């Protein structure tokens, strides 16, 4: 594992100001687990408020527009989320790809604008069950990463990859640790080839898809797993902190 395990909560389209107490609880507890890097990505509407509460945890956005400011009703760009207090942005999540038809090309443009705005990037990838059953998971995921990264030149430490098999997101199903290890190893090889081994070692590869306190330690102890991107279980401080505790008990932490 490159650095401290990285546990990121993706709140998706959940959360009003009532959730700020959860953010506060996560932040206070995270101060007891300094060997784990903890972050949350609330909806846009809460980024600034969570940022103001956060002393220890990182705060990020779940997406951003690829362009500069202008006439795009309803959109928010990278410099706007940075201004609100976000330090990173999740890009290429399968729900963005599915709900908004996001292509690898668009995601590549978003990566560029996010880096320009000084943000770190968590780039998501993952295959459908159909693709996995047809034996094409690895090729699909590596192609997705290659085209989303394009000619990525920025220092690799600003990049995190999240492998999230679509069939494991919000379904209660997790991939087997063998499947996770195989995919993460293949992703690492691609990163080694792309950036060279030294720079690649700075890129953490997170696993996402039904991670919860009960399975966190096993998943986080899997080779090449540098942390977790957590959806449903990040919505309450209690379950999210259960995962942080699991991460603090991994061999690398
Ligand atoms: P989940 O979502 O933990 O609810 O499966 C993970 C994600 O989509 O990032």
């Amino acid at each position: 594992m490159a650095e401290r395990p990285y546990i990121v909560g993706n709140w998706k389209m959940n959360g009003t100001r009532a959730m700020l107490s959860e953010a506060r609880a996560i932040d206070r507890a995270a101060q007891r687990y300094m060997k784990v890097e903890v972050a949350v990505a609330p909806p846009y509407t809460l980024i600034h408020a969570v940022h103001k509460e956060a002393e220890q945890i990182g705060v990020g956005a779940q997406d951003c527009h690829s362009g500069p400011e202008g006439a795009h009703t309803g959109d928010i760009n990278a410099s706007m989320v940075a201004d609100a207090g976000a330090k990173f942005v999740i890009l290429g999540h399968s729900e963005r790809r599915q709900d908004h038809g996001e292509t690898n090309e668009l995601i590549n443009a978003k990566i560029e604008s996010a880096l320009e705005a000084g943000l770190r990037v968590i780039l998501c990838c993952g295959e459908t069950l159909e693709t996995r059953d047809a034996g094409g998971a690895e090729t699909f995921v590596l192609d997705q990463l290659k085209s989303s990264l394009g000619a990525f030149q920025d220092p690799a430490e600003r990049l995190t990859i999240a492998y999230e098999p679509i069939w494991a997101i919000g379904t209660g199903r997790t991939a087997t640790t063998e499947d996770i290890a195989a995919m993460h190893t293949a992703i690492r090889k691609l990163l080694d080839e792309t950036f060279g081994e030294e720079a690649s070692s700075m890129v953490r590869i997170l696993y996402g898809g039904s991670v919860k306190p009960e399975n966190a330690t096993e998943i986080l102890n899997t080779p090449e797993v540098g942390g977790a991107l957590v959806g449903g279980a990040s919505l309450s401080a209690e379950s999210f902190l259960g995962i942080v505790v699991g991460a603090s008990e991994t061999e690398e932490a």
Side-chain angles (χ1 to χ4, degrees), residues 131-148:
T131 303
R132 173 155 290 270
D133 287 346
E138 205 172 293
T139 310
F140 179 85
V141 166
L142 296 184
D143 281 350
Q144 227 179 13
L145 285 177
K146 275 185 234 163
S147 354
S148 305

Side-chain angles (χ1 to χ4, degrees), residues 88-109:
F88 69 92
V89 59
I90 299 170
L91 292 175
H93 191 282
S94 60
E95 287 153 14
R96 297 292 316 169
R97 295 178 191 260
Q98 276 169 350
D99 298 352
H100 300 272
E102 291 198 4
T103 60
N104 292 327
E105 201 183 8
L106 176 65
I107 292 157
N108 177 254

Side-chain angles (χ1 to χ4, degrees), residues 10 12 93-95 164 168-172 208-211 229-233:
N10 172 12
K12 307 192 178 185
H93 191 282
S94 60
E95 287 153 14
E164 301 200 302
I169 296 177
T171 58
S210 298
V211 176
L229 184 55
V230 184

Side-chain angles (χ1 to χ4, degrees), residues 47 77-87 114 117-119:
I47 289 174
N77 77 2
S79 49
M80 292 158 83
V81 297
D83 180 61
K87 293 286 183 287
L119 297 168

